[in-house]
Amino acid sequence: MSAWLILIIIGVVLLILGFAGVGQFLIWIGIAVLVVSLILALVGRRRV
């Protein structure tokens, strides 16, 4: 499983359990990891 997906799932679970601050932080980190990995994949394809 991808790191970004795990972070988003854990963040959503924490939001549901009432840990809104930590959950929201993990969701944003997961989104950032997803965006960075997409950018790196696109840059990697262009070089080939």
Side-chain angles (χ1 to χ4, degrees), residues 1 3 6 8 10 12-13 15-19 21-22 25 30 32 36 45-47:
M1 206 182 265
I6 293 171
I8 291 176
I10 292 172
V12 169
V13 169
L15 279 175
I16 292 171
L17 292 177
F19 296 99
V22 178
F25 178 72
V36 168
R45 285 189 175 185
R46 288 185 180 172
R47 290 187 179 182

Side-chain angles (χ1 to χ4, degrees), residues 4 7-8 24-37:
W4 61 269
L7 286 171
I8 291 176
Q24 192 174 20
F25 178 72
L26 286 177
I27 290 173
W28 281 113
I29 294 294
I31 292 171
V33 170
L34 171 63
V35 170
V36 168
S37 64

